[in-house]
Amino acid sequence: MPHLDFSALLQGQYLEWLQAGFLFSLQLTGLTLLLALPLAVVVALLRLAPSKAARALGFAFVEAIRNIPLLVHMLFWYFGAPELLPENIKTWLYAANIEAAAALIALTLYTAAYMAEDVRSGLRAVPEGQLQAARALGLSFLGGMRFVVLPQALRITVPPLISQTLNLWKNTSIATVIGAAELMYQAQRVETASFRGFETFAVVTVAYLGISLFITALAWGFQQRYPVRVAR
């Protein structure tokens, strides 16, 4: 049986690499969530808007994003999109941290497309009479959605949004293909330098599992404290 030794990974440069990757993955998850959720709400409202043009725009966004693998999104925003920019801007981007920017854009659009469908389902779960009553009181479509329907819908959509957050946390690992220094990228560096493949990826597995369970626990606690109540 091979000798397992985790001590080398829990100190010195290897530990610093893993910690840096772990923190970057958390930052990427948090920032993507902050950007994707508002975008998802906007897209969901577009999909339910009275205007046919708005509904078509929302539908096009969701279908165009969701039917392309996340890996392709990553590669497009890293290799493809910058080629459309002026040369001086492109040079500046590649000199800066374009890997992180490309990963953030790809994850934001991809996550927002899936969250938009969850939010739309939540909006449709609120009885239609709620919006009609709001319109009868003088509120516009957007006003009725903002003050009456959306607060109820977001409460309903907490479970699927938490599921999408879990997917987002795991999807950050795909950013390694464009050289973003997230957890998997740093794990590969550690494995290459230390030749401790099992130990390295065992630590990474525990890190991903730990955050996933933490997010799940937060969701369970939220559901217990704020159970879904939809007005009728």
Side-chain angles (χ1 to χ4, degrees):
M1 180 176 180
H3 173 67
L4 300 181
D5 182 12
F6 288 88
S7 61
L9 305 181
L10 302 179
Q11 59 185 338
Q13 188 177 46
Y14 297 154
L15 178 60
E16 293 176 2
W17 288 353
L18 292 174
Q19 286 178 333
F22 180 72
L23 291 176
F24 181 75
S25 291
L26 287 177
Q27 292 169 353
L28 189 57
T29 300
L31 189 54
T32 299
L33 188 60
L34 288 176
L35 296 174
L37 186 54
L39 178 58
V41 172
V42 171
V43 173
L45 291 176
L46 285 175
R47 298 215 54 189
L48 296 176
S51 168
K52 288 185 179 180
R55 293 198 301 271
L57 180 61
F59 175 82
F61 175 87
V62 170
E63 293 303 315
I65 298 297
R66 297 209 319 171
N67 285 292
I68 299 175
L70 178 56
L71 177 60
V72 177
H73 284 287
M74 290 280 184
L75 296 175
F76 171 78
W77 287 106
Y78 182 66
F79 291 109
E83 296 301 319
L84 303 177
L85 301 174
E87 191 64 30
N88 58 334
I89 298 179
K90 183 171 65 173
T91 302
W92 175 81
L93 280 174
Y94 278 110
N97 192 6
I98 189 175
E99 296 85 3
L104 179 62
I105 294 172
L107 285 169
T108 297
L109 295 177
Y110 192 80
T111 304
Y114 281 90
M115 284 187 167
E117 290 299 276
D118 293 331
V119 174
R120 184 170 73 99
S121 297
L123 291 170
R124 297 185 66 177
V126 177
E128 188 176 352
Q130 293 286 305
L131 181 60
Q132 294 174 347
R135 298 295 298 273
L137 292 174
L139 292 176
S140 64
F141 171 80
L142 288 178
M145 283 289 185
R146 176 184 176 186
F147 296 110
V148 178
V149 180
L150 192 57
Q152 300 176 70
L154 289 179
R155 183 71 62 82
I156 296 171
T157 56
V158 166
L161 289 180
I162 290 297
S163 178
Q164 294 300 338
T165 302
L166 285 171
N167 288 334
L168 168 60
W169 163 243
K170 292 179 288 186
N171 284 340
T172 58
S173 62
I174 300 179
T176 191
V177 300
I178 58 173
E182 44 72 56
L183 182 55
M184 278 300 299
Y185 178 87
Q186 299 289 14
Q188 290 173 350
R189 289 182 67 194
V190 171
E191 191 276 333
T192 301
S194 67
F195 299 100
R196 290 287 179 180
F198 178 86
E199 294 91 329
T200 299
F201 291 106
V203 170
V204 170
T205 298
V206 170
Y208 279 113
L209 179 61
I211 295 299
S212 297
L213 292 177
F214 177 71
I215 294 173
T216 302
L218 288 179
W220 182 85
F222 181 89
Q223 287 292 92
Q224 295 298 310
R225 185 174 180 83
Y226 303 104
V228 175
R229 296 187 181 92
V230 180
R232 300 188 181 279

